[in-house]
Amino acid sequence: MVWRILPHATCCRATDKLFLLDLRQDRYFCVPEKLAATMLAWLECGFSCAPPKAVNLLLERSRTLRTGDPEATNALREHIAIPEHIDELARARAATSASGLATGAIASRAVAISVTGYRKRQIAGFPLD
């Protein structure tokens, strides 16, 4: 499942982790474990509603949400089927791609990153897991 939470940012669930992809900053990051349950509950609730304060704080501190941006939304969802053999697929694409990751669907990119490993970097105010 992929959620477009802002015009320039999406969130997806892969390997039991939540990943945010911020196209404006050309970066992605794993949602800190302490906030994952809160964010997932908001994303999966059955109706459109404002994000919890903790989610807004994460988006602001990561500079994903800035002054003038619309409010983040949980209403825009897209179901994406992820192949069972994603481990092999991700490794094969990484091995053949000049950039290290093949371009493609946002969910595929996040899954490939989560499977092949990601670099942890602290977001202001949120400790590394």
Side-chain angles (χ1 to χ4, degrees), residues 32-109:
E33 209 170 299
K34 288 183 177 184
L35 291 177
T38 301
M39 187 160 195
L40 188 59
W42 170 65
L43 291 170
E44 291 185 332
C45 86
F47 55 91
S48 178
C49 61
K53 191 177 251 184
V55 171
N56 254 349
L57 191 58
L58 170 70
L59 295 173
E60 289 169 0
R61 288 185 175 175
S62 66
R63 305 247 329 121
T64 303
L65 180 63
R66 300 178 189 171
T67 304
D69 286 345
E71 182 177 64
T73 181
N74 61 349
L76 305 174
R77 305 170 193 204
E78 183 178 346
H79 292 276
I80 294 179
I82 298 173
E84 290 181 25
H85 62 285
I86 193 70
D87 293 347
E88 297 164 19
L89 183 64
R91 287 188 189 100
R93 285 183 176 169
T96 59
S97 173
S99 66
L101 284 174
T103 57
I106 293 169
S108 297
R109 181 175 179 190

Side-chain angles (χ1 to χ4, degrees), residues 7-22:
H8 60 276
T10 57
C11 184
C12 76
R13 188 174 182 182
T15 64
D16 294 325
K17 296 181 189 299
L18 285 177
F19 290 88
L20 284 175
L21 175 62
D22 183 346

